[in-house]
Amino acid sequence: QVQLVESGGGLVQAGGSLRLSCAPSGRTFSSYYMGWFRQAPGKEREFVAAISRSGGDTYYADSVKGRFTISRDNAKNTVYLQMNSLKPEDTAVYYCAARLRLGTIRPGEQIQYDYWGQGTQVTVSS
């Protein structure tokens, strides 16, 4: 059974930064296509960012482009989400997701992912 463990969430003031980490267990980390999603109170879960298995391709939601950076270190079996210039509207539970299936992926769609973490809370105060 694959487990995804997120870390790095917390409380930060607007304009600040946080870095989230996620380390899946199970198969070789480079086998996983990785994504980050978030769910704010009273809202549906939404796509934030995704990264290909090699790390060569990245995708972002328009709302975070230029502020967030997704990266991965296959040697450390970890995917990161660096979040800068945080805004109160970034407050949400952030979820790490992993896809093992091969084939074409639409990175923004939740159904494309096979495994999910429990989430880590990010709170941005104004």
Side-chain angles (χ1 to χ4, degrees):
Q1 181 70 18
V2 176
Q3 290 186 329
L4 305 180
V5 180
E6 302 105 332
S7 61
L11 173 64
V12 64
Q13 289 188 331
S17 299
L18 282 174
R19 188 177 79 161
L20 305 182
S21 301
C22 174
S25 64
R27 293 178 181 263
T28 304
F29 178 65
S30 58
S31 301
Y32 298 110
Y33 188 102
M34 301 299 299
W36 286 97
F37 290 75
R38 67 186 182 186
Q39 186 168 20
K43 295 187 177 181
E44 293 186 352
R45 191 159 56 183
E46 64 176 8
F47 171 71
V48 175
I51 188 166
S52 62
R53 291 174 174 85
S54 67
D57 296 303
T58 56
Y59 306 89
Y60 297 94
D62 288 342
S63 59
V64 306
K65 278 181 183 176
R67 299 188 299 122
F68 290 11
T69 302
I70 188 171
S71 63
R72 66 191 295 160
D73 186 335
N74 286 350
K76 294 183 178 180
N77 297 336
T78 304
V79 62
Y80 304 97
L81 184 67
Q82 178 68 42
M83 304 184 295
N84 299 328
S85 302
L86 283 161
K87 305 175 181 180
E89 50 264 43
D90 294 318
T91 295
V93 177
Y94 283 71
Y95 296 92
C96 175
R99 172 185 169 101
L100 190 58
R101 290 170 283 160
L102 300 178
T104 302
I105 182 172
R106 293 178 291 278
E109 296 181 1
Q110 298 181 49
I111 198 172
Q112 300 285 319
Y113 296 85
D114 303 311
Y115 307 102
W116 293 83
Q118 293 299 308
T120 185
Q121 177 70 47
V122 171
T123 303
V124 184
S125 62
S126 58

